Amino acid sequence: MLVTLLFVSTIGLLLLPYWLISSTPFPQPTGQWQVGTSELLWNRGGISPSDPAVISKVWYPTDSQNGMNSPYLERMGRTFSPKTTLNLFYSLIFSKFLLGRVAATSAFVNAAPGESLDGFPLVLFSPGLTGINSLNTFYALEFASHGFIVVGINHPGSSASTMLTDGSQIGITQEVLDAFSNPDLMISKLAIDQADNISLVLEQVINLNYTVDSLLYQKINVNKIFAAGHSFGGSASFLACCQDQRISRSVNFDGYFFIDEIDIDRVASQDENCRPKDFLLILSDRLIPEKSKTPNKFDLMMAKDQEKIDQLANNENFNTILLNTASHVNFSDLPLIIKPVFSKAIRLFRGTDGRETLAKTSTMAINFLNR
């Protein structure tokens, strides 16, 4: 009897995540365009087999009404490195049984891009630390349906998996793991690395705009180039916008400002490169430490973060929107992937199902970039 009970309980625990994940999470995008998608892959300029490659995915406007729909997680075996997990759990449970069952998105693989007289605006989108480009598919689909070309970036070494030029993989590097225990020492360097990577990706994508046989040939409006990102990716997008003259605006979905290299004076219009640029910060309701308690390391970072945000709020080119009903994970695909019955029960998205907030923040960002 006990063995049977243990067996049934084990099966139930394994099936629980399966039941909690929605197999058809993505609504039809609200813009006037259909969405096409393709994959971009290049190395970072090195010649050694151990040099990491940059894996990006591009979403873009198209007139196509049919074709093969893109899977949510393309090439699962390359998206998540088996070296970061137990092989059995990875291959049988995580990739195939759970995330592998998520239905394909509405984007058509390798569809012909639409036509635009001046070219389409370009958005370079960075996920949070350890995240992958697919985790912000909702934003990518929405932006593309409203006339943007969106390039989602997997950052070598700080995304869940990085492909090497010889086809092998590495997982999250030890340097990134160290950042969680020593954020003051490591995160600043990682922010600089990711901002530099955004500029590298931009260089490659602009080259495609001038390459005759490229999917993106003469499709990009090089005068409308933007950066965006969630969490740590949002921080890197602000930094990239400041240091890269080609990027004119940036949207930061609940990123952080305790990173010292995101110099407040620069972002606050005092730097020549930043002066004509616009920044949008969409914040969740963050927990500020109470004065009566002894603050821990996270509390100190959040207090420093709030201090810098308050400084920036007085500048005309810095726009802040606070969403009291949002949590930090509201700005990823999780509100769509996880069924509301579970997310509401554990208040994952502040007691809501999170989908309304996700749609609202998408509209805010599109309006900001279009204005």
Side-chain angles (χ1 to χ4, degrees):
M1 181 65 180
L2 181 59
V3 173
T4 302
L5 182 60
L6 287 174
F7 176 78
V8 171
S9 300
T10 301
I11 296 298
L13 287 174
L14 291 175
L15 286 175
L16 183 60
Y18 183 91
W19 177 73
L20 294 176
I21 290 178
S22 173
S23 60
T24 55
F26 293 99
Q28 187 67 24
T30 61
Q32 69 273 30
W33 292 93
Q34 298 295 317
V35 179
T37 187
S38 188
E39 189 179 53
L40 304 175
L41 175 66
W42 54 82
N43 67 38
R44 303 181 73 181
I47 57 175
S48 168
S50 62
D51 289 324
V54 178
I55 303 172
S56 295
K57 189 168 183 176
V58 58
W59 293 263
Y60 50 86
T62 180
D63 292 313
S64 178
Q65 299 285 338
N66 51 57
M68 185 179 76
N69 292 100
S70 172
Y72 176 51
L73 294 177
E74 202 161 11
R75 305 191 191 187
M76 188 81 71
R78 196 182 68 189
T79 301
F80 294 95
S81 172
K83 295 180 182 179
T84 62
T85 58
L86 294 174
N87 284 337
L88 178 63
F89 179 81
Y90 165 80
S91 60
L92 296 181
I93 305 297
F94 186 67
S95 60
K96 306 248 181 347
F97 188 61
L98 297 179
L99 292 180
R101 68 186 283 262
V102 176
T105 71
S106 58
F108 299 118
V109 177
N110 294 328
E115 298 293 333
S116 174
L117 208 56
D118 300 320
F120 297 106
L122 174 68
V123 178
L124 302 157
F125 202 107
S126 293
L129 193 61
T130 75
I132 57 173
N133 50 31
S134 292
L135 289 181
N136 298 106
T137 292
F138 174 82
Y139 285 134
L141 294 172
E142 275 295 300
F143 287 13
S145 77
H146 285 269
F148 293 85
I149 293 173
V150 183
V151 176
I153 304 170
N154 274 15
H155 292 282
S158 62
S159 288
S161 178
T162 299
M163 191 178 183
L164 305 182
T165 54
D166 64 358
S168 62
Q169 290 174 269
I170 58 172
I172 301 165
T173 63
Q174 187 61 46
E175 182 181 44
V176 173
L177 295 175
D178 290 341
F180 290 97
S181 57
N182 299 291
D184 294 333
L185 298 176
M186 300 304 304
I187 286 185
S188 294
K189 180 181 182 303
L190 291 173
I192 294 173
D193 289 346
Q194 286 205 4
D196 290 343
N197 203 46
I198 291 171
S199 291
L200 179 144
V201 170
L202 175 56
E203 188 70 33
Q204 297 289 342
V205 172
I206 288 179
N207 287 340
L208 294 178
N209 189 53
Y210 298 115
T211 303
V212 175
D213 59 352
S214 163
L215 184 73
L216 299 180
Y217 177 59
Q218 294 186 344
K219 298 299 179 184
I220 298 171
N221 186 333
V222 295
N223 296 313
K224 293 184 178 181
I225 295 175
F226 312 123
H230 170 226
S231 188
F232 191 80
S235 305
S237 76
F238 266 27
L239 186 56
C241 185
C242 243
Q243 70 183 22
D244 195 317
Q245 294 182 356
R246 298 167 296 183
I247 304 173
S248 60
R249 290 181 185 173
S250 179
V251 178
N252 183 336
F253 292 101
D254 213 32
Y256 302 106
F257 286 86
F258 61 82
I259 303 170
D260 289 334
E261 270 64 22
I262 299 183
D263 192 313
I264 290 304
D265 288 336
R266 295 184 64 201
V267 180
S269 301
Q270 302 305 314
D271 184 274
E272 183 178 348
N273 290 332
C274 294
R275 190 176 296 121
K277 299 185 177 185
D278 289 324
F279 300 86
L280 174 62
L281 174 63
I282 304 178
L283 282 172
S284 66
D285 188 11
R286 298 181 177 181
L287 299 176
I288 306 301
E290 300 175 8
K291 293 183 179 180
S292 59
K293 77 167 193 172
T294 303
N296 56 35
K297 183 179 292 187
F298 179 79
D299 292 334
L300 293 173
M301 288 191 299
M302 288 300 96
K304 184 179 179 181
D305 202 57
Q306 187 61 49
E307 180 182 341
K308 291 192 174 186
I309 291 171
D310 291 341
Q311 286 179 264
L312 289 168
N314 296 321
N315 294 278
E316 292 182 358
N317 67 331
F318 190 84
N319 307 269
T320 306
I321 299 174
L322 173 62
L323 299 177
N324 293 318
T325 59
S327 68
H328 186 63
V329 290
N330 251 120
F331 306 95
S332 67
D333 292 333
L334 282 180
L336 302 172
I337 299 296
I338 299 176
K339 291 183 178 179
V341 66
F342 175 70
S343 61
K344 285 183 178 180
I346 65 170
R347 296 186 60 81
L348 186 60
F349 310 115
R350 292 286 193 270
T352 69
D353 64 20
R355 292 174 292 185
E356 181 181 344
T357 304
L358 195 60
K360 183 188 299 183
T361 54
S362 175
T363 300
M364 291 173 179
I366 291 170
N367 290 340
F368 170 76
L369 296 177
N370 274 332
R371 75 184 190 185

